[in-house]
Amino acid sequence: MKTGQQYRDSLKDGRTVYIDGKQVEDVTTHPAFCNAIDTVARMYDFSSSPQNERLMTCQNTDEDRINRIWQLPKSYNDLVERRKALEAWGQLHAGFFGRSPDHVASCIAGMYMGRDIFNAYDPKRAQALGDYYHYASSNDIFLSYVIINPQGELPASGETAGRRRLAASIVDQDSSGIVINGAKMLASGGVMAHEVLVTCIQPLPVGDEALAFSAVVPMNAPGLRILSRKSYETGTGSVFDYPMSSRFDENDAVLVFENVSIPWERVFIIDNREMCQKQFMATPAHVYQNYQAMIRLKTKLLFLVGLAHRTTEINCTARFPQVREILGQLAAEVGMLDAMVAGMEAKGSEVGPYFIPDRHSLYAAQTLTQQLYPRFIEQLRNLAGGGVIMLPSSIKDFDNPEIMKWINESQSSPIVDAHDRVKFFKLMWDAIGSEFGSRHTQYEMFYAGASYVPKNHSFRTFDWNGSATRVDTMLASY
Ligand SMILES: Cc1cc2nc3c(=O)[nH]c(=O)nc-3n(C[C@H](O)[C@H](O)[C@H](O)COP(=O)(O)OP(=O)(O)OC[C@H]3O[C@@H](n4cnc5c(N)ncnc54)[C@H](O)[C@@H]3O)c2cc1C
């Protein structure tokens, strides 16, 4: 089990990260990333703490225990135990780390559970995947993934033929492995991960075989450039002013591969468009990674609904029936997701020796929550009114007795003093309205693909025959 300090030390590995026009020497001390890295370190301290052993770890071999994020559930009970571990971990960041280490671990574990599919494709690549699962689980590796091509990438054939490619593709291979060149979007958590799974989940047309690979690359691989977006952590001033941005900005980065060599032991698919789809859809990987996402989102919504309720307490608005209706609606929506997660588990099924959450229940939840999140945030804004804006400019105002006097005069509530009122509304704003909060709306709307993507998964996995039978039965009854 990895500790927080081991995790921090492991990131001092010479990775090439760029931000604000400069290369970063050490991500663990850089003001754009250090607090978020501390948050992940706290997660590793939590999972490696002896007092959390039962909650956070499971038996791997007779001697070894591993982080439950790598667990391969064999029963409903295993699945529930693992979910409890994910919930406990998610609470350390209130569900705001979308790609915390449990996300891609779930994907790799899902691929491993479906390794028969890889075996049928190529036993050597299946062996590489199996070995990698064992390596990653026993070393508690933090993986990010880039499974989408940059916007603007167009098929190699047809009228766009001959155009310069943006997306990472195989440019060479020999007895030692493959070489890739090009870009991928969008490595959330990539700056603070150990390794990245590079592949393509988007269906690829004939002719795009060079883009159809699946492989794992360490973040310090020679030739890998990590181009960070703007940091929301930098310049936040104090945790008091930006309690979320300053600690939970997982970062997103475009990855550019410049002739990056990947040894065969880390290559799971090569030149195979169909297999790129199958690694997610024909194995439990896609269900398993997105089941993790729903557990995380549940944790987040439970926190956000708490913010909504506290807002109405502080502003004494809970007495209005219309406000209670909004709270009731939000509570119902969180309750729906809670029930859907429980439903995915209860309707789960055995796939070989493993127990997998129900596919359609998962896609139903993803389709609905993708639409739900922006509405949910809108209702929090609705409840907050100007309270999230009528705030002192920064914590420094509290140090000036003159200003403090007027803050006390203007910020009051029957249930909290001025300091705690300001503290609360700064938290509220950071969660729903700051640049960090706004990025989260974009994240929840897109991390699983644009809206037509989960809808198509829902369409694909629904029991249409069952519905057709009901229609036929009714038609035959008169
Ligand atoms: C905050 C954030 C974090 C992310 N983190 C990761 C990550 O860690 N790893 C990773 O791999 N990816 C990540 N992504 C990328 C994410 O997977 C993509 O944003 C998502 O798949 C949508 O692809 P796109 O952004 O290219 O949007 P597009 O596919 O270009 O969609 C944008 C809009 O264009 C229209 N459109 C485009 N194509 C079609 C079509 N075929 N049919 C109908 N309408 C269409 C729709 O209106 C759609 O809403 C992240 C994205 C965000 C916003």
Side-chain angles (χ1 to χ4, degrees):
M1 295 294 301
K2 197 173 249 87
T3 64
Q5 193 51 48
Q6 286 168 344
Y7 161 68
R8 256 191 226 96
D9 292 344
S10 66
L11 298 184
K12 297 172 200 263
D13 58 1
R15 60 190 56 205
T16 308
V17 178
Y18 295 103
I19 188 165
D20 297 329
K22 296 202 178 91
Q23 189 172 339
V24 175
E25 252 176 49
D26 178 355
V27 288
T28 67
T29 54
H30 194 282
F33 317 111
C34 59
N35 290 351
I37 287 171
D38 281 350
T39 298
V40 179
R42 268 195 300 282
M43 294 170 74
Y44 280 113
D45 279 337
F46 185 85
S47 51
S48 62
S49 160
Q51 73 201 45
N52 293 328
E53 184 180 274
R54 173 103 191 71
L55 172 67
M56 293 304 301
T57 71
C58 60
Q59 203 74 39
N60 184 23
T61 61
D62 285 348
E63 306 95 61
D64 259 355
R65 293 185 76 83
I66 52 169
N67 193 328
R68 276 196 196 272
I69 67 174
W70 297 101
Q71 188 173 1
L72 308 169
K74 296 209 162 104
S75 65
Y76 168 78
N77 284 341
D78 281 358
L79 198 63
V80 172
E81 290 298 307
R82 182 177 180 275
R83 186 241 299 154
K84 288 179 183 162
L86 268 46
E87 282 173 344
W89 240 28
Q91 280 178 40
L92 300 178
H93 50 82
F96 278 76
F97 261 80
R99 298 283 151 91
S100 54
D102 39 333
H103 184 74
V104 182
S106 300
C107 170
I108 298 283
M111 284 183 187
Y112 180 76
M113 288 187 255
R115 58 195 179 282
D116 285 357
I117 300 290
F118 281 85
N119 253 321
Y121 154 62
D122 181 342
K124 281 196 189 140
R125 306 282 58 84
Q127 180 73 40
L129 172 70
D131 291 346
Y132 186 73
Y133 168 77
H134 290 296
Y135 159 79
S137 55
S138 24
N139 290 285
D140 218 355
I141 296 295
F142 178 178
L143 278 140
S144 165
Y145 65 20
V146 281
I147 58 178
I148 297 290
N149 292 327
Q151 283 188 335
E153 177 62 44
L154 295 166
S157 52
E159 52 194 53
T160 53
R163 191 172 163 273
R164 192 178 68 81
R165 308 310 303 266
L166 303 171
S169 57
I170 299 176
V171 290
D172 201 4
Q173 61 176 289
D174 61 21
S175 58
S176 61
I178 62 173
V179 178
I180 62 169
N181 230 334
K184 290 294 263 194
M185 69 186 267
L186 184 62
S188 298
V191 164
M192 52 204 78
H194 297 120
E195 308 200 1
V196 59
L197 172 67
V198 188
T199 186
C200 191
I201 196 169
Q202 295 155 304
L204 291 166
V206 178
D208 267 353
E209 280 69 22
L211 278 63
F213 65 94
S214 179
V216 170
V217 179
M219 296 312 293
N220 67 347
L224 170 54
R225 321 271 178 229
I226 306 165
L227 307 185
S228 168
R229 64 148 159 77
K230 171 189 173 170
S231 163
Y232 308 138
E233 182 177 322
T234 309
T236 47
S238 72
V239 175
F240 183 88
D241 286 314
Y242 288 98
M244 307 299 287
S245 320
S246 63
R247 297 179 300 160
F248 306 130
D249 181 13
E250 67 183 328
N251 197 270
D252 309 285
V254 170
L255 301 189
V256 180
F257 299 84
E258 199 183 35
N259 295 324
V260 172
S261 300
I262 313 176
W264 286 116
E265 304 86 75
R266 293 291 184 260
V267 179
F268 312 142
I269 298 173
I270 175 168
D271 291 340
N272 195 313
R273 294 175 301 115
E274 193 191 350
M275 194 54 205
C276 276
Q277 288 291 298
K278 280 186 166 178
Q279 66 178 331
F280 290 107
M281 307 307 168
T283 73
H286 199 244
V287 169
Y288 216 58
Q289 75 200 37
N290 288 311
Y291 163 66
Q292 180 279 342
M294 288 297 106
I295 295 168
R296 176 199 57 76
L297 182 61
K298 184 180 103 171
T299 306
K300 191 177 191 180
L301 294 189
L302 281 166
F303 166 72
L304 290 173
V305 82
L307 291 183
H309 190 244
R310 183 69 55 85
T311 301
T312 65
E313 286 181 322
I314 291 179
N315 283 346
C316 304
T317 52
R319 66 204 148 98
F320 300 122
Q322 298 89 334
V323 170
R324 284 206 300 274
E325 268 182 38
I326 296 176
L327 289 176
Q329 174 76 26
L330 294 176
E333 287 167 348
V334 183
M336 176 191 76
L337 180 56
D338 185 27
M340 288 183 107
V341 169
M344 289 166 213
E345 294 162 352
K347 285 180 74 184
S349 56
E350 286 170 4
V351 174
Y354 306 113
F355 192 82
I356 309 301
D358 181 58
R359 262 178 206 273
H360 187 260
S361 308
L362 180 264
Y363 293 133
Q366 272 206 303
T367 301
L368 297 177
T369 55
Q370 197 179 51
Q371 297 159 28
L372 171 70
Y373 194 83
R375 283 205 317 266
F376 206 87
I377 294 296
E378 194 188 1
Q379 288 307 331
L380 265 74
R381 281 173 171 264
N382 199 357
L383 291 172
V388 285
I389 307 295
M390 56 165 278
L391 295 169
S393 55
S394 81
I395 194 170
K396 289 181 189 155
D397 287 353
F398 286 94
D399 296 335
N400 181 326
E402 180 79 6
I403 304 176
M404 192 58 211
K405 188 170 140 232
W406 297 115
I407 292 174
N408 278 327
E409 290 282 322
S410 57
Q411 304 274 348
S412 94
S413 156
I415 69 158
V416 285
D417 62 17
H419 174 276
D420 286 358
R421 184 178 197 283
V422 171
K423 182 176 183 184
F424 173 77
F425 277 113
K426 283 194 177 262
L427 170 66
M428 177 79 162
W429 180 243
D430 208 9
I432 67 170
S434 66
E435 194 164 4
F436 168 90
S438 178
R439 177 262 181 198
H440 273 272
T441 301
Q442 203 70 3
Y443 180 83
E444 301 297 353
M445 288 172 68
F446 279 98
Y447 78 84
S451 63
Y452 66 89
V453 174
K455 284 180 192 163
N456 272 300
H457 292 314
S458 168
F459 176 81
R460 185 171 55 78
T461 54
F462 186 65
D463 176 17
W464 293 110
N465 287 337
S467 296
T469 307
R470 285 159 206 260
V471 173
D472 289 338
T473 306
M474 180 59 79
L475 286 170
S477 70
Y478 55 88

